[in-house]
Amino acid sequence: MSNPTRVMLLVLLATATWGITAFWEPDGGPPEVDDAPVLGALYAAPVERVETHVLGRGETLDRVLGRAEIVGREMADLLLTLREYTNPRRLRAGSEVTVRRWLSDGSPRAVELRLNADSTVRLDRESLGWSGRVMVTPTTVDTVFVAGEIENGRTLYEAVVYDDKLDLPPAERAALVVELAEIYAFKLDFTHDIQPGDRYRLVYEREARPDGTARNRRVLIAEMVNQGREYGAVYFEAGGDRGEYFDREGRSLQTMFRRYPLDYVRITSSFAWRRYHPILGRYRSHLGTDFGAAPGTPVKATGAGVVSFAGWDGGYGNLVKIRHPNGYETRYAHLRGFARGIAAGKRVDQGDVIGYVGATGLATGPHLHYELRQNGQALDPRRMRLPTKPGVPEERLPEFKELLEQRVALLETYAPTPAGPRLARAVDETERTPSGEN
């Protein structure tokens, strides 16, 4: 048989075989999935055991490692590697040291040191020594909806912090109240203005850690009803990438000046045109307000401006003067010292720390003397109507109104009534507008 004929027969035979196998199916068809053999559960034995040690008060890391039986050359090499990431002497009492050991022989496999809520140094034992890396605590973005009503004998702080229906750590609840107080600092005094029957509700977004605390949070929209009057607050980035809060009409919630330069207010002497001076022993004008506070308490600029003076000034002691627009000036006296970088010509923002409470100059004890002036004329900040900041620029009002509509819908959907704080269900991406959008 010639070669061409042989090749042709082989091709025909291969084609016929393929056709039969392609269309032929054995009796009964393929086996059912339920009839397929199932592999039983397997037990994987752990390869390590984990022990956690806590750095005690006045204790050093080498003592903790000694308790964990990491000593000698092993400890020296570990500490040398750790110094690439942090100074072991700066670890605070309460720091956790986690040791991971091989079950086979009990030798250390890795050591983890938690530096803060967001960073942990992991040191792995290798054949040639220790290697290190920083592990960042993972976070997830979620949305929390809070609503409630102030009961008799309770403050807003107590209403939120002591409400166990909110699935958040107490510290996280307290931080939320502080943030809310900052938002309304220019409109409401949470210490004195809040009354039984007042209502609150808000929506905020946060980066949540596995333990429930938040790395960052931002209130998207809030509403306070105080003695029947409604105060709205909506976050909007009107001036670039730095946002602030506006009411629903686009007016800024902030004034040009904070009413107080301290976070916790205890007024010891008010503005007066005639007051007896305890040191000089005579009557004279007191053209400012005195705030009692512990030595070292941070003092904050009540408005944005430029430092015109920072130094010693007679009876004022250590004094900071800040020049503001429209002829305004603020003064902060009797300071123990100045914040880093505070000097004439330094530009500061509202809320920046500029110094610390002291008792320098003519002072009977630690306190802050604060003055507000316009064109040299002394003003009483507690009685005057403080000038407001500009609202949403007119050309961006349509954008603001669109965002407001989305935020109000979010508030009405998930916090329609004062039913108490609660964690939101997962929100679909189509429902949620990221906090950075405006």
Side-chain angles (χ1 to χ4, degrees):
M1 185 182 296
S2 64
N3 283 341
T5 304
R6 184 178 300 172
V7 170
M8 180 64 69
L9 288 174
L10 289 175
V11 169
L12 291 173
L13 180 61
T15 303
T17 303
W18 175 84
I20 293 171
T21 57
F23 295 100
W24 176 79
E25 188 175 279
D27 293 341
E32 296 292 334
V33 175
D34 292 342
D35 298 334
V38 178
L39 186 64
L42 297 177
Y43 171 72
V47 298
E48 67 175 14
R49 64 180 172 88
V50 180
E51 57 191 54
T52 301
H53 303 266
V54 179
L55 191 68
R57 188 177 181 86
E59 195 173 30
T60 57
L61 180 59
D62 56 349
R63 291 189 62 182
V64 174
L65 294 174
R67 289 206 313 268
E69 299 178 355
I70 300 177
V71 295
R73 184 67 183 176
E74 194 85 74
M75 180 196 294
D77 290 346
L78 183 149
L79 292 175
L80 186 63
T81 304
L82 177 62
R83 284 184 177 275
E84 298 178 14
Y85 303 94
T86 187
N87 186 342
R89 295 183 180 276
R90 293 182 180 174
L91 294 176
R92 297 181 178 180
S95 297
E96 293 182 357
V97 181
T98 302
V99 180
R100 300 180 179 273
R101 298 184 184 279
W102 294 108
L103 273 180
S104 55
D105 58 6
S107 62
R109 178 188 185 187
V111 175
E112 297 172 1
L113 294 96
R114 190 176 186 187
L115 303 182
N116 51 54
D118 295 309
S119 302
T120 299
V121 174
R122 177 175 171 122
L123 305 170
D124 292 289
R125 185 69 174 90
E126 299 178 348
S127 57
L128 298 179
W130 293 87
S131 66
R133 56 193 171 97
V134 175
M135 301 187 301
V136 178
T137 304
T139 61
T140 57
V141 177
D142 63 21
T143 308
V144 178
F145 305 88
V146 179
E149 184 171 319
I150 308 300
E151 299 174 353
N152 262 321
R154 276 201 161 188
T155 63
L156 177 64
Y157 179 91
E158 293 169 331
V160 176
V161 173
Y162 299 145
D163 195 323
D164 294 330
K165 292 191 294 292
L166 183 58
D167 187 22
L168 296 171
E172 169 72 5
R173 303 178 207 173
L176 177 61
V177 177
V178 171
E179 185 152 341
L180 203 57
E182 282 289 319
I183 293 172
Y184 286 106
F186 303 90
K187 296 293 183 181
L188 292 169
D189 183 342
F190 278 14
T191 304
H192 302 102
D193 293 346
I194 302 300
Q195 302 294 325
D198 287 353
R199 302 189 305 276
Y200 61 91
R201 56 179 185 160
L202 62 102
V203 178
Y204 80 98
E205 217 171 47
R206 64 177 188 146
E207 291 182 58
R209 304 185 185 97
D211 63 359
T213 59
R215 177 182 298 168
N216 292 305
R217 74 185 65 79
R218 174 175 293 160
V219 174
L220 304 180
I221 183 170
E223 180 184 278
M224 292 287 305
V225 178
N226 174 242
Q227 301 182 55
R229 182 176 179 182
E230 183 180 303
Y231 296 87
V234 182
Y235 181 82
F236 182 69
E237 294 175 357
D241 59 353
R242 186 168 182 172
E244 59 182 287
Y245 290 90
F246 301 87
D247 65 16
R248 295 191 182 188
E249 301 303 319
R251 295 182 293 254
S252 176
L253 290 189
Q254 298 184 6
T255 56
M256 279 184 61
F257 299 99
R258 293 165 57 111
R259 201 164 292 277
Y260 305 120
L262 301 176
D263 285 338
Y264 303 99
V265 176
R266 179 168 62 89
I267 297 174
T268 56
S269 186
S270 299
F271 183 99
W273 292 106
R274 189 170 185 270
R275 188 201 69 161
Y276 182 80
H277 196 286
I279 294 180
L280 298 179
R282 56 186 173 84
Y283 285 91
R284 59 181 295 185
S285 57
H286 184 251
L287 304 181
T289 305
D290 290 349
F291 300 91
T297 300
V299 176
K300 298 181 178 181
T302 55
V306 177
V307 176
S308 58
F309 178 83
W312 184 271
D313 188 352
Y316 280 121
N318 286 326
L319 173 70
V320 171
K321 293 182 182 179
I322 300 177
R323 185 176 63 253
H324 308 276
N326 302 323
Y328 286 100
E329 180 189 71
T330 53
R331 300 181 180 186
Y332 312 80
H334 306 312
L335 301 175
R336 183 174 75 178
F338 309 105
R340 178 173 295 183
I342 294 300
K346 171 72 174 179
R347 182 171 293 278
V348 295
D349 287 327
Q350 189 175 60
D352 284 353
V353 175
I354 58 171
Y356 305 93
V357 170
T360 56
L362 291 177
T364 56
H367 72 280
L368 173 71
H369 175 81
Y370 169 69
E371 294 182 11
L372 173 65
R373 296 173 178 250
Q374 185 178 29
N375 299 323
Q377 177 67 40
L379 305 171
D380 184 354
R382 297 179 63 203
R383 297 183 180 277
M384 67 172 288
R385 186 180 182 86
L386 296 173
T388 59
K389 280 188 171 182
V392 176
E394 187 173 351
E395 66 273 14
R396 298 199 63 188
L397 274 175
E399 191 178 348
F400 172 77
K401 292 295 185 182
E402 182 180 352
L403 178 71
L404 174 64
E405 185 177 345
Q406 297 171 6
R407 295 288 189 253
V408 171
L410 193 64
L411 187 67
E412 295 295 343
T413 300
Y414 296 107
T417 57
R422 61 191 176 93
L423 187 66
R425 67 169 175 81
V427 179
D428 294 338
E429 291 301 323
T430 55
E431 295 179 4
R432 182 171 66 196
T433 302
S435 60
E437 290 186 17
N438 45 38

